[in-house]
Amino acid sequence: MNIVIIGNGITGITCARNVRKLDSNASITVISGETEHFFSRTALMYIYMGHMKFEHTKPYEDWFWKKNRINLIKAYVKSLNSKDKTLHFDNGESIAYDKLIIACGSVPNKFGWPGENLHGVQGLYSIQDLEQMERNTKNISSAVIIGGGLIGIEMAEMLHSRKIEVKMLVRENFYWGNILPREEAQLIGKHISAHGIDLQLNTELKEIISDDQNRVKGVLTNKGEQFECQFVGLTAGVKPNIGFLEKHELETERGILINEYFETSIPHIYAAGDCAQFRNPKPGEPAIEQLWYTGKMQAETLARTICGDKSAYNRGIWFNSAKFFDLEYQTYGQILPEINDQQKSFYWEHPNGKHAFRANYSSKDESISGFNFIGIRFRQIIAEEWIREHKTIGFVIQNLKKGWFDPEFSKAFYNDISHSYLQSLKSGNEE
Amino acid sequence: MKDISLSIASPAAASPLQKAGAALTACAILSSIIAAFGAGTSNPLLFFFLITGLFISGGIFYSIPYFKAQAGIKNDGIMQNSLSSRGAIAWGIAILMTGFYIILYWFPYYLEGLIRTMDPLSMMLRNKASDQWFLYGAFYTLAVLIMGMRFIAKYKFSRYHIIRTISVMFFQLGFAFLLPAFLLKLNQPEFYFSYFWPLKYSYLFPNDIDYLIQSGNLGVFMVFWGLVMTFIATPVLTYNFGKRWYCSWVCGCGALAETLGDPYRQNSDKSLKAWKIERWMVHSVLVFITLTTALLWLNSWKSGTILGDASGLFSQWYGFLIGSVFSGVIGTGFYPIMGSRVWCRFGCPMAAILGLFQRFKSKFRITTNGGQCISCGNCSTYCEMGIDVRAYAQKGENIIRASCVGCGVCSSVCPRGVLKLENLEEEGRFIPYIRHEDKK
Ligand SMILES: Cc1cc2nc3c(=O)[nH]c(=O)nc-3n(C[C@H](O)[C@H](O)[C@H](O)COP(=O)(O)OP(=O)(O)OC[C@H]3O[C@@H](n4cnc5c(N)ncnc54)[C@H](O)[C@@H]3O)c2cc1C
Ligand code: SF4
Ligand code: SF4
């Protein structure tokens, strides 16, 4: 079996590794135009900030690929011919496949803002973007970031580490307000401001202003304010990187359309990771999953199907994590910005504004549906078990210690949290 | 692909306070050199205060920005800084430190002036003039205290780091510097209660034991202490807490590595090859020292008849090769190039024994939190023992490695809170995380 994978990101590589584990005879080839070897995209910020070099972000040593007989090709796939099952590269070469896996990832969103193609304006996704950012931010003093999401805050931290002044334009009332409940968003917003980032809430980009050399010299907001800057970071989300499939009959919408087996509209072609879009996502789940974790889980499932054990994707209980400057954040289950009328929510925050806890639960049977932890590390297996087994909020609060994952000797807050919960019960009863 | 980091400009320069700190430290080194050339002999007290004063104030100035900053990971610019990324400054420091060791071991007369600056302190503590080893001990302790303060400032968000650093500072100052000096003053054997066989290999050699026993009750207690620590405390403590109870809480070599060596921890080699070399070397040293000890006892039992002087020679060579060259010259002198724990990783027989316990019979592990790892590589990069922590974490496996000294820095630098050092039941510590949906 000749398996060809487009993309050497977490999805493509996890697929290749798992196929190799299940089938020692398959021929496996991974193609990528970005880098020769797999690296961790999530660590891009640390290269810029000088915590690591590029080589540190490679999860496997370079001999690994040969030893596991995973062929690597560095080239961009220009076109796909699904009739004779071949791929054509930008360098004129081509390759044939029996089974094709497309895991080509994302590119930063652009929304047709005036000036979005000026020098000094860019997104951050690839290693080439990082190199460009290096050039674009050399000897500059101020920058504006458009979009208050996870990549935006990473970019802010990167620029901040080089003593560049940063303004962030955020469309919502609060930082990451489309994902986080108001309290968490406010807490994180304060933390970001304490690090010297100027958060401009309720603000949208109207135009990026150019100097006479086609370089950015400032931005204009929808409120009519003008901010001077020499760099603009576009971080309003990402979208599937499927430009090379534009003229192809493969069915796409925003991403490559797939079913729960990662099968596309054409036999023997599969897609997974950031570039894939589920035709029929389960209720409450997004059609496109743009995460490291989901890329990995999707690829593990797909590898089984490829090797003959047809398996449907089940991503299990939702989880995610991030870090905002020095604040760690973990979430398990489902926490939306607002609860619905069948839910209740308990929130606790430490007076120092660096630790917070939220649990959402059903107002009917008190069963737990999700957690947010800020400045607290918590065991994933415990949080998931409680959600899966519909434990009640009372049980959860009493047993928080079981899942506590903060380093030894740190101050633990489970007693404070349970205190605060009992308090809230009392005051609730009195009302 | 080319090394991206090469194209990266250096980040904003160090703060003025840190520059002042570096300048003061440079002055301290300069004063030491002037003292060594003779000025220290004529003005010992003046140079003593000048040198220690400059070192301490340099350390304070250097640490202030850490104390003032927001609590959190402070690794900005490490890979672009010449000092911490094997640049010219790193090589300069490596040459300086290695040179110091070479002179100290083999040409101490060049340090005469510097040794004399320690006379007042030495007289006060031990009733005895200073010598090269007292000078070394004083500098060593000073380095642990000053750089320990910097470490505490840098990791002020973590009580684990604060407490264990105070612990190594305490053991270095109290048990490895003041107490042995004080024992000398009382005409007792100079004994280090914080070092045991096989690190302090001679403590189980027949000669040392004879000498201690003959020196009186305290000497007998010292022999007893040494035996208990080696044969009872070491296995029991390592079973319960892992090797860290010694390597990053008590040991003086660990103390220097964690404090003076911290700026260089990222330079340890993480490759599989380095791991192979490490296992060969460190276990060979252990076999060698165990053999030496056994031979010496055999020899003494047969009153020196079977081996003659050979066993003595054997131990002398060990002392020279391992005790001096390896632990000092390479172990410390090469910090800036090979990372801070070269000795602990490749040469220390104590680490080898503790490691065997830790790997095969201990409650200690670094737990990986489910599937949370994003493979970023911070943990592996900052592991001073060169453990590829990420290789385990990204598979959902706990990290159980003989060499892990439990410094906890991998856990601190992990941006997703994936790692936790802990002592739990021994059972199940090797079982990896499997997603509930994948369990069959
Ligand atoms: C700065 C940053 C931080 C992030 N942090 C987190 C985080 O903390 N947690 C988290 O869960 N997620 C995070 N993400 C998202 C996560 O990195 C992505 O979801 C994940 O990398 C997607 O993996 P993938 O394998 O699907 O695609 P990719 O990693 O994008 O890999 C696709 C590869 O295919 C190559 N390719 C594309 N088209 C072609 C072609 N035609 N020919 C040849 N090669 C091609 C691309 O160049 C790329 O190398 C972050 C993303 C960024 C950019
Ligand atoms: S694995 Fe972690 S705790 Fe162990 S030595 Fe390395 S960094 Fe320290
Ligand atoms: S630092 Fe944390 S997230 Fe990064 S590779 Fe290590 S364990 Fe994984």
Side-chain angles (χ1 to χ4, degrees):
Chain A
M1 187 168 49
N2 175 20
I3 298 163
V4 173
I5 301 171
I6 306 180
N8 70 349
I10 181 67
T11 311
I13 290 300
T14 305
C15 219
R17 279 181 43 249
N18 280 274
V19 169
R20 175 52 77 230
K21 267 196 263 177
L22 297 168
D23 179 352
S24 59
N25 294 323
S27 143
I28 305 172
T29 303
V30 183
I31 306 160
S32 169
E34 185 179 8
T35 54
E36 192 179 338
H37 295 112
F38 171 48
F39 77 103
S40 181
R41 192 172 303 295
T42 53
L44 279 174
M45 65 182 293
Y46 301 107
I47 302 178
Y48 184 90
M49 296 188 348
H51 295 204
M52 285 188 274
K53 296 184 179 175
F54 173 73
E55 69 212 43
H56 296 113
T57 67
K58 290 196 275 190
Y60 303 94
E61 288 186 61
D62 292 350
W63 50 257
F64 177 89
W65 310 107
K66 198 161 191 183
K67 180 170 173 251
N68 289 287
R69 288 170 294 124
I70 295 173
N71 311 319
L72 304 177
I73 296 179
K74 185 166 185 286
Y76 272 108
V77 175
K78 216 174 57 192
S79 62
L80 156 65
N81 185 337
S82 45
K83 304 245 155 49
D84 33 337
K85 290 187 162 184
T86 46
L87 295 173
H88 299 278
F89 303 156
D90 57 350
N91 58 14
E93 289 174 24
S94 57
I95 191 173
Y97 63 83
D98 296 334
K99 287 187 181 174
L100 175 67
I101 297 166
I102 308 179
C104 58
S106 304
V107 284
N109 269 330
K110 286 189 175 182
F111 293 107
W113 290 298
E116 67 182 14
N117 294 320
L118 291 172
H119 292 303
V121 180
Q122 67 164 103
L124 175 64
Y125 189 81
S126 65
I127 198 84
Q128 286 78 19
D129 292 340
L130 188 76
E131 286 173 324
Q132 188 184 25
M133 184 167 166
E134 190 59 52
R135 292 190 296 272
N136 277 338
T137 57
K138 208 162 243 167
N139 303 322
I140 68 164
S141 58
S142 58
V144 171
I145 291 172
I146 314 299
L150 292 177
I151 299 182
I153 193 64
E154 290 191 357
M155 222 181 197
E157 193 175 346
M158 292 158 75
L159 295 164
H160 179 74
S161 78
R162 302 266 181 111
K163 314 257 188 307
I164 296 166
E165 257 178 60
V166 182
K167 279 192 173 44
M168 281 182 89
L169 308 194
V170 177
R171 194 174 49 185
E172 290 79 20
N173 281 337
F174 306 104
Y175 169 74
W176 217 25
N178 55 337
I179 303 285
L180 291 174
R182 178 187 178 128
E183 286 85 355
E184 285 92 320
Q186 273 174 329
L187 182 153
I188 292 169
K190 269 191 225 151
H191 182 77
I192 294 173
S193 305
H195 276 274
I197 306 299
D198 182 1
L199 273 184
Q200 297 281 332
L201 302 171
N202 284 316
T203 308
E204 283 178 57
L205 174 69
K206 206 165 149 218
E207 186 185 338
I208 305 172
I209 309 160
S210 161
D211 68 5
D212 43 20
Q213 265 145 45
N214 236 1
R215 260 201 84 87
V216 51
K217 73 168 188 194
V219 299
L220 192 66
T221 72
N222 62 341
K223 294 175 172 168
E225 273 174 306
Q226 196 168 325
F227 300 125
E228 253 180 55
C229 63
Q230 302 89 45
F231 177 82
V232 171
L234 301 178
T235 62
V238 296
K239 62 172 185 225
N241 180 14
I242 53 174
F244 73 106
L245 295 169
E246 217 167 21
K247 298 209 184 78
H248 200 272
E249 59 186 325
L250 189 70
E251 266 185 63
T252 62
E253 211 176 273
R254 277 182 300 149
I256 302 166
L257 288 170
I258 51 163
N259 62 15
E260 71 268 38
Y261 301 105
F262 306 99
E263 293 165 332
T264 65
S265 59
I266 298 178
H268 308 299
I269 302 184
Y270 304 80
D274 269 34
C275 65
Q277 178 182 355
F278 290 101
R279 277 176 202 277
N280 303 304
K282 291 181 193 157
E285 295 187 358
I288 307 183
E289 298 185 325
Q290 296 160 320
L291 287 177
W292 186 265
Y293 303 128
T294 46
K296 198 166 163 179
M297 295 189 290
Q298 289 189 13
E300 283 163 0
T301 314
L302 172 55
R304 261 178 259 152
T305 300
I306 295 277
C307 295
D309 168 21
K310 193 164 179 176
S311 311
Y313 178 56
N314 176 358
R315 80 161 177 210
I317 287 165
W318 176 249
F319 70 96
N320 197 8
S321 62
K323 193 173 182 184
F324 312 95
F325 281 87
D326 300 317
L327 278 190
E328 285 172 21
Y329 154 80
Q330 297 182 340
T331 185
Y332 300 101
Q334 202 186 42
I335 302 260
L336 296 175
E338 308 263 350
I339 49 174
N340 61 34
D341 52 5
Q342 280 142 45
Q343 280 182 324
K344 279 186 177 172
S345 190
F346 167 72
Y347 179 77
W348 169 88
E349 185 177 314
H350 192 280
N352 71 9
K354 289 186 174 166
H355 312 274
F357 166 78
R358 177 183 299 278
N360 281 1
Y361 55 98
S362 144
S363 44
K364 254 195 272 145
D365 61 4
E366 302 223 307
S367 66
I368 203 88
S369 55
F371 299 103
N372 272 352
F373 295 93
I374 295 178
I376 296 169
R377 296 176 172 182
F378 204 79
R379 284 181 213 270
Q380 181 176 358
I381 37 171
I382 302 278
E384 289 187 351
E385 185 184 299
W386 288 348
I387 295 169
R388 197 165 43 237
E389 295 177 359
H390 307 290
K391 294 285 191 241
T392 63
I393 177 78
F395 173 90
V396 162
I397 296 281
Q398 263 178 16
N399 289 283
L400 277 179
K401 188 178 174 189
K402 252 182 98 177
W404 216 256
F405 203 69
D406 275 350
E408 295 158 298
F409 300 108
S410 18
K411 266 207 183 97
F413 305 112
Y414 36 80
N415 290 332
D416 300 25
I417 294 174
S418 106
H419 234 84
S420 154
Y421 175 72
L422 293 177
Q423 217 73 42
S424 76
L425 282 188
K426 262 191 219 145
S427 56
N429 289 344
E430 278 158 21
E431 265 167 27
Chain B
M1 95 168 286
K2 76 180 160 61
D3 187 353
I4 306 264
S5 51
L6 287 181
S7 65
I8 285 180
S10 68
S15 80
L17 278 168
Q18 288 191 319
K19 280 187 185 158
L24 285 166
T25 309
C27 290
I29 295 171
L30 198 67
S31 315
S32 308
I33 295 173
I34 295 171
F37 273 112
T41 318
S42 37
N43 283 311
L45 215 53
L46 173 75
F47 272 93
F48 173 78
F49 282 113
L50 190 65
I51 292 168
T52 49
L54 282 170
F55 269 129
I56 292 173
S57 50
I60 290 176
F61 272 86
Y62 202 83
S63 308
I64 290 176
Y66 287 127
F67 278 116
K68 288 206 306 203
Q70 297 259 348
I73 292 302
K74 296 279 169 286
N75 287 340
D76 288 354
I78 287 202
M79 294 297 164
Q80 296 131 355
N81 185 331
S82 167
L83 172 85
S84 47
S85 69
R86 301 193 187 118
I89 300 180
W91 280 98
I93 293 179
I95 291 169
L96 199 75
M97 293 213 286
T98 310
F100 176 73
Y101 273 98
I102 291 175
I103 296 175
L104 184 79
Y105 284 136
W106 292 288
F107 314 101
Y109 38 89
Y110 288 126
L111 293 174
E112 185 56 23
L114 195 55
I115 292 171
R116 296 282 72 82
T117 64
M118 293 293 157
D119 273 341
L121 183 67
S122 182
M123 286 309 289
M124 192 174 86
L125 293 176
R126 341 186 279 170
N127 259 346
K128 203 177 148 186
S130 170
D131 54 17
Q132 88 226 56
W133 304 122
F134 185 78
L135 170 78
Y136 178 50
F139 271 16
Y140 195 109
T141 308
L142 202 60
V144 168
L145 295 180
I146 292 172
M147 291 300 279
M149 173 182 66
R150 171 194 163 278
F151 191 89
I152 288 175
K154 181 174 174 188
Y155 295 93
K156 64 180 176 181
F157 57 88
S158 158
R159 296 220 298 196
Y160 182 76
H161 291 312
I162 295 173
I163 296 172
R164 80 181 170 89
T165 306
I166 291 174
S167 171
V168 287
M169 288 161 78
F170 167 79
F171 280 105
Q172 177 56 36
L173 179 66
F175 283 64
F177 187 64
L178 294 179
L179 190 59
F182 193 61
L183 286 168
L184 270 184
K185 190 169 190 160
L186 301 178
N187 279 323
Q188 295 289 342
E190 185 181 14
F191 191 84
Y192 294 80
F193 283 93
S194 53
Y195 291 110
F196 331 112
W197 188 92
L199 178 53
K200 190 80 181 158
Y201 45 90
S202 66
Y203 281 3
L204 286 192
F205 284 181
N207 281 350
D208 274 46
I209 291 190
D210 275 354
Y211 163 73
L212 286 176
I213 288 177
Q214 275 160 25
S215 71
N217 284 344
L218 193 57
V220 174
F221 174 73
M222 288 166 180
V223 172
F224 173 74
W225 175 261
L227 289 171
V228 168
M229 289 316 287
T230 297
F231 293 111
I232 300 174
T234 296
V236 170
L237 290 170
T238 311
Y239 174 70
N240 284 295
F241 306 111
K243 141 191 213 177
R244 54 186 174 153
W245 75 269
Y246 191 67
C247 296
S248 54
W249 286 74
V250 174
C251 176
C253 306
L256 197 69
E258 293 293 326
T259 54
L260 186 68
D262 178 67
Y264 314 111
R265 55 168 51 249
Q266 64 285 348
N267 293 336
S268 58
D269 190 336
K270 318 297 188 305
S271 66
L272 195 65
K273 204 161 141 200
W275 183 20
K276 277 191 189 141
I277 297 173
E278 161 197 317
R279 281 178 294 179
W280 269 105
M281 285 188 67
V282 79
H283 295 121
S284 305
V285 173
L286 178 61
V287 168
F288 189 76
I289 189 63
T290 311
L291 229 71
T292 307
T293 311
L295 270 177
L296 285 174
W297 279 102
L298 205 69
N299 196 39
S300 118
W301 180 51
K302 295 268 179 190
S303 347
T305 47
I306 27 170
L307 291 165
D309 217 23
S311 60
L313 215 65
F314 203 42
S315 77
Q316 268 173 20
W317 270 96
Y318 179 86
F320 173 74
L321 277 179
I322 307 297
S324 311
V325 180
F326 204 149
S327 76
V329 181
I330 299 174
T332 311
F334 288 14
Y335 271 4
I337 307 303
M338 297 176 69
S340 48
R341 289 257 192 188
V342 179
W343 158 250
C344 312
R345 189 179 170 195
F346 295 99
C348 176
M350 183 81 185
I353 290 200
L354 292 166
L356 290 173
F357 279 119
Q358 171 157 291
R359 173 67 180 67
F360 295 107
K361 193 77 195 153
S362 173
K363 294 174 163 184
F364 173 72
R365 86 284 308 271
I366 302 177
T367 304
T368 289
N369 195 10
Q372 301 263 13
C373 174
I374 53 170
S375 300
C376 69
N378 275 294
C379 52
S380 299
T381 304
Y382 287 93
C383 176
E384 55 190 350
M385 294 305 281
I387 298 172
D388 189 359
V389 182
R390 165 175 56 192
Y392 301 83
Q394 66 190 358
K395 284 192 274 184
E397 290 173 1
N398 297 336
I399 295 94
I400 302 170
R401 276 278 291 266
S403 63
C404 169
V405 291
C407 67
V409 169
C410 54
S411 160
S412 298
V413 297
C414 172
R416 296 295 177 273
V418 175
L419 307 166
K420 180 175 187 196
L421 284 68
E422 54 188 348
N423 320 304
L424 297 175
E425 275 77 54
E426 207 189 328
E427 206 177 300
R429 66 187 190 131
F430 285 101
I431 297 175
Y433 165 76
I434 297 172
R435 284 173 17 120
H436 180 80
E437 293 70 30
D438 293 339
K439 284 182 190 155
K440 291 232 169 101

